[in-house]
Amino acid sequence: MKKLQTQVAEIDGQANDTCEEVVFKMAEKQRLQIQRKNIYRSIEQLEGLLPLFQKFIKLNQQMKKDELYRALRSIQEINSEHLDKLPTRMKLKKYLRDNLLAKQKKIYADSVILLTNWLDSARANSLIVGKLAMEEDGDELRALDFKPIFKCLQISQMRGTSIDFFHNFIVQRNKQFTQIVSSPISSSQKLEEYLYSIVGFLYIEENIQVL
């Protein structure tokens, strides 16, 4: 009887071990299945985000090339076509939003610098432009590139601040003209340069109007 009880106990122990092993293997299998599903889900999500990442790569290239207007348009497209469709709680969405906002602010700041540099260049080249114009050289504007004006104007239009852009541009040009006409004249050479500068300024203004 005792021997039978011992055998029964051994069988129960083996059965218990077997059951525990089966339960462990089933749990491990279930865990692996869940893990596999999560991996597949993550891959699908990444594949869905691929167009977004491609747009970001393109945007970064535009920023490096100082293609400010194109970069600003890319930012708008990324926001409307991609980020707006992502879940609100998604951490990646907030990170990318903040990144785009920083890029946008940089573009606005760079456009201000771009316009300021152009205004300074126009003022500095007024004399030579006026001299060439009075000599009927035919290549008076070779020292000036008007593309920065268009870039800044396009950016201001996208921001909805084109009125402010025109107002600021006119104010700055008026200041420059005031500086030119109020410059002291001490010799015939200075008078000649004075006239060249006025003619150059007006010639640049005329060409701005027809561009």
Side-chain angles (χ1 to χ4, degrees):
M1 186 67 177
K2 187 174 181 181
K3 184 177 180 180
L4 180 60
Q5 289 177 343
T6 301
Q7 290 177 343
V8 169
E10 289 178 355
I11 293 172
D12 287 343
Q14 292 174 356
N16 185 64
D17 291 341
T18 301
C19 289
E20 288 181 354
E21 185 177 356
V22 170
V23 169
F24 173 78
K25 288 183 177 181
M26 290 295 292
E28 182 68 11
K29 182 179 179 181
Q30 187 177 21
R31 185 185 68 80
L32 291 174
Q33 288 176 338
I34 293 173
Q35 189 179 58
R36 192 176 294 112
K37 287 180 181 179
N38 290 336
I39 291 173
Y40 289 152
R41 190 180 298 111
S42 298
I43 292 174
E44 288 176 357
Q45 289 177 344
L46 288 173
E47 288 177 345
L49 292 173
L50 184 59
L52 169 60
F53 295 146
Q54 290 173 334
K55 283 282 183 68
F56 253 92
I57 292 173
K58 181 180 177 182
L59 170 60
N60 288 332
Q61 292 173 343
Q62 290 169 338
M63 295 289 290
K64 288 180 180 179
K65 294 178 182 178
D66 288 328
E67 296 176 350
L68 304 183
Y69 176 68
R70 291 180 180 178
L72 193 58
R73 289 201 58 174
S74 293
I75 289 174
Q76 291 185 342
E77 290 175 3
I78 291 172
N79 273 316
S80 61
E81 296 178 10
H82 299 282
L83 294 189
D84 288 347
K85 299 176 183 178
L86 294 180
T88 305
R89 295 182 180 179
M90 193 174 185
K91 292 182 178 180
L92 178 64
K93 181 175 183 176
K94 183 181 184 307
Y95 170 79
L96 295 180
R97 286 277 198 205
D98 292 343
N99 185 276
L100 289 180
L101 182 60
K103 283 183 168 62
Q104 193 177 57
K105 289 180 178 179
K106 185 179 186 305
I107 290 173
Y108 293 160
D110 287 349
S111 68
V112 172
I113 295 172
L114 188 65
L115 181 60
T116 300
N117 289 343
W118 187 90
L119 288 167
D120 291 343
S121 176
R123 172 66 182 89
N125 285 285
S126 292
L127 191 152
I128 186 64
V129 169
K131 183 177 181 180
L132 293 173
M134 292 181 73
E135 293 174 354
E136 298 183 353
D137 181 88
D139 197 17
E140 298 86 355
L141 298 176
R142 68 173 182 267
L144 285 177
D145 179 9
F146 289 89
K147 291 178 183 178
I149 297 180
F150 289 112
K151 287 183 180 180
C152 295
L153 176 58
Q154 288 175 324
I155 291 172
S156 68
Q157 288 173 337
M158 291 188 71
R159 296 182 66 185
T161 59
S162 55
I163 294 177
D164 293 336
F165 170 83
F166 284 119
H167 174 73
N168 178 62
F169 185 84
I170 292 171
V171 168
Q172 294 302 318
R173 288 294 282 168
N174 285 340
K175 285 182 179 179
Q176 289 183 343
F177 187 67
T178 300
Q179 291 173 354
I180 291 175
V181 298
S182 61
S183 299
I185 303 172
S186 58
S187 65
S188 59
Q189 183 180 358
K190 287 289 185 181
L191 175 60
E192 188 177 46
E193 292 178 355
Y194 176 81
L195 293 175
Y196 284 155
S197 295
I198 292 177
V199 171
F201 181 94
L202 296 176
Y203 190 84
I204 293 170
E205 284 298 302
E206 181 182 358
N207 280 271
I208 290 173
Q209 300 301 320
V210 299
L211 286 175

